[in-house]
Amino acid sequence: MRLQKNPLFRKEIAPWYDSDTSCLIMIGFLLVIFLFSITGIFEAYEKIEYYKHVWVPGILVVLSGGATISTSIRLIKRHYKRQAKEMDYL
């Protein structure tokens, strides 16, 4: 008798780094970086000799903002999938 490769009752196991808690912690950390880099941009624009270094906090703003949006979209999709599953079982 052959073993079933895809049993019917197997649940998908999410890795620890993709759990809701770790995503929320990452969003919080990324928001701190975002605010820190916004502050860096304002400080760099206050002195003329620092104008050429504005790109460093600018890249941080773009990268942390993009990662925050991406992770937030992932959490929102996951939330709506769970709601849809709960509605199917009712």
Side-chain angles (χ1 to χ4, degrees):
M1 191 156 111
R2 295 180 63 193
L3 293 175
Q4 292 181 358
K5 290 186 179 181
N6 234 350
L8 184 63
F9 301 107
R10 184 171 65 181
K11 286 177 88 175
E12 183 179 330
I13 299 173
W16 66 269
Y17 54 84
D18 196 27
S19 67
D20 291 346
T21 306
S22 64
C23 285
L24 291 173
I25 290 170
M26 184 169 58
I27 287 173
F29 180 69
L30 288 169
L31 287 175
V32 169
I33 292 173
F34 185 83
L35 294 174
F36 177 73
S37 56
I38 292 289
T39 306
I41 289 173
F42 286 136
E43 288 296 319
Y45 275 130
E46 284 185 7
K47 295 193 176 188
I48 295 173
E49 57 267 8
Y50 293 143
Y51 277 3
K52 60 184 175 185
H53 300 292
V54 172
W55 65 273
V56 176
I59 288 177
L60 282 175
V61 165
V62 170
L63 291 176
S64 63
T68 302
I69 291 169
S70 172
T71 307
S72 298
I73 289 171
R74 180 184 303 158
L75 284 175
I76 291 168
K77 283 182 181 178
R78 192 178 299 160
H79 176 72
Y80 283 122
K81 280 184 183 179
R82 285 186 190 144
Q83 276 188 342
K85 280 185 181 180
E86 287 177 8
M87 295 303 280
D88 286 343
Y89 290 129
L90 293 179

